[in-house]
Amino acid sequence: MLDMKFIRENEAKVREALKNRGSDYDLDALLALDQRRRAALTEVEALKNERNSKSKDIGRLRKEGRDTAAMQAAVRAIGERIEALDREVREVEADRDHRLLLLPNVPHSTTPVGPDASGNVVARTWGTRRAFAFAPKPHWEIGETLGLFDLPRAARMSGAGFPLFRGAGAKLQRALIQFMLDLHVKEHGYTEVAPPFLCNTAAMTGTGQLPRLAEDMYHIASDDLYLIPTAEVPVTNIYREEILPGPLPVGLTAYSPCFRREAGAAGRDTRGLIRVHQFDKVEMVRFVEPATSYDQLELLVGHAEDVLQRLGLHYRVLALCSGDLSFAAAKCYDLELWAPGQDGWLEVSSCSNFEDFQARRAGIRHRGADGRPAFVHTLNGSGVALPRLVVALLENGQQADGSVDLPEALWPYMDGLRRFEAPA
């Protein structure tokens, strides 16, 4: 959430940011509400001063034995006007605050300006595309042949977009999660947490999912709880309405299943594991000093890249443009893996700097050098998401005989299994 004072003092900048995002947000309506609130508060303050002055006059005149009925009536009228204005202020504040929750973050100056994904910029690539002596198969054919997953049975019990992994496929899921958690904890310095997989409205609002994305999430109305779309929500909200007790930065990592109602809703990439409603992910969250947050973002991206490099997968890093930036982010990098069976790139991680946008919504602060509480900057990144990672592993590791070679980094986590082979 943006600070109202910042919006008033930087109106042109906010308007430019909305234009660059392609947003139709009504900034005029927000500013009008803010003006109404400020005007009402000014009037209330003036009326209170007038009431106090008249009350003193009434006391003095009474001592003199003079009639104060008219003045008392005037004071009562002032009190009624103050009560009416107080009600108006509360109503206006509620409307203003709701509209503030719908105002997207201002992109950082280094975020490329563009209308949509076509404006994203390739920051770098790593590795090379594998040359195949045969036509590479898509992952759904590989996985079904090797008995790694069973999507028809999953659809029968839950509907499309809810995968069922079996045997070595299930083991691969567990191995990838453990591999990534070990890497982030032992080598990247994160503390592992195991968060709840359901969060309340306040938590979802704090990280920016609500109110804007309510229709994209699974909601348990009877308990006012949401299935989390990412571990970013519970992990960031660990310090909701708190002052962080120790020095910054603080880095946390967590595994969680993720639930997203909107996946595949547009009818794109609905076959296999590319767009699903439920998937596993390892998340990284960092709470950092504002002055260091963009250096910390580069560090975070490097941690996600390390996962892909150790798995030997060809990837690229995109700097997202203003029109493709998420609602809460000021700057974001996407990591995309090359998938030969799709003949295309697949996103497996988004690494974002939200500056104080989430911290302001959630009330997450630290004590600055002067000892005063101040909002932290929050960052998060997938470290990484599993479905498309599995797609890339299967499609890049496939062999002419139908088997799939696994990266060496996973061998210890697969009990020494180095290759998936078709059941006899």
Side-chain angles (χ1 to χ4, degrees), residues 26 41 53 80 134 136 165 171 174 219 229-230 257 292 333 372:
D26 190 349
L41 288 174
S53 177
E80 290 169 0
F134 58 92
F165 292 90
K171 190 178 187 67
R174 183 158 45 90
H219 185 210
T230 165
T292 68
Y333 292 103
R372 290 181 167 182

Side-chain angles (χ1 to χ4, degrees), residues 102-174:
L102 295 169
L103 177 62
N105 203 354
V106 173
H108 189 255
S109 60
T110 58
T111 292
V113 176
D116 50 38
S118 65
N120 295 340
V121 176
V122 177
R124 57 186 170 275
T125 61
W126 188 89
T128 57
R129 298 184 188 182
R130 177 187 165 190
F132 287 86
F134 58 92
K137 296 178 179 179
H139 67 282
W140 56 81
E141 291 185 18
I142 300 169
E144 290 171 4
T145 300
L146 298 178
L148 302 177
F149 45 77
D150 189 337
L151 302 183
R153 283 192 171 94
R156 192 171 67 197
M157 71 176 83
S158 303
F162 294 89
L164 166 66
F165 292 90
R166 304 184 62 164
K171 190 178 187 67
L172 177 62
Q173 294 288 111
R174 183 158 45 90

Side-chain angles (χ1 to χ4, degrees), residues 47-63:
L47 288 171
K48 286 181 177 178
N49 289 336
E50 183 181 355
R51 183 175 60 180
N52 291 339
S53 177
K54 287 184 180 298
S55 295
K56 290 179 181 178
D57 289 342
I58 289 171
R60 177 177 54 78
L61 292 171
R62 277 181 171 177
K63 288 180 180 180

Side-chain angles (χ1 to χ4, degrees), residues 25 67 75 130-131 139 147 204 240 287 300 323 381 389 411 419:
Y25 182 86
D67 181 12
V75 168
R130 177 187 165 190
H139 67 282
M204 289 290 182
R240 177 178 175 81
F287 304 88
L300 179 73
L389 177 60
W411 296 351
R419 172 178 289 192

Side-chain angles (χ1 to χ4, degrees), residues 37 100 120 218 279-280:
R37 173 185 174 275
L100 270 174
N120 295 340
Y218 290 95
F279 60 95
D280 292 323

Side-chain angles (χ1 to χ4, degrees), residues 2 16 81 248 257 309 314 336 340 343 362 367 406:
L2 298 179
E16 183 70 14
R81 175 59 179 162
L248 299 180
Q309 291 177 12
H314 176 41
E336 296 185 336
D343 191 31
R367 294 197 181 277
L406 293 171

Side-chain angles (χ1 to χ4, degrees), residues 188-209:
H188 298 156
Y190 291 81
T191 298
E192 182 181 355
V193 295
F197 300 153
L198 293 95
C199 283
N200 58 27
T201 295
M204 289 290 182
T205 302
T207 46
Q209 278 72 27

Side-chain angles (χ1 to χ4, degrees), residues 148-149 165-180 273 311 386 389-391 393-394 404 406-407 410 413-414 417 420:
L148 302 177
F149 45 77
F165 292 90
R166 304 184 62 164
K171 190 178 187 67
L172 177 62
Q173 294 288 111
R174 183 158 45 90
L176 285 168
I177 293 166
Q178 192 63 59
F179 159 69
M180 290 187 282
L273 302 175
L311 295 175
L386 266 69
L389 177 60
V390 170
V391 170
L393 287 171
L394 296 181
V404 173
L406 293 171
L410 293 181
Y413 296 94
M414 295 293 294
L417 182 67
F420 291 146

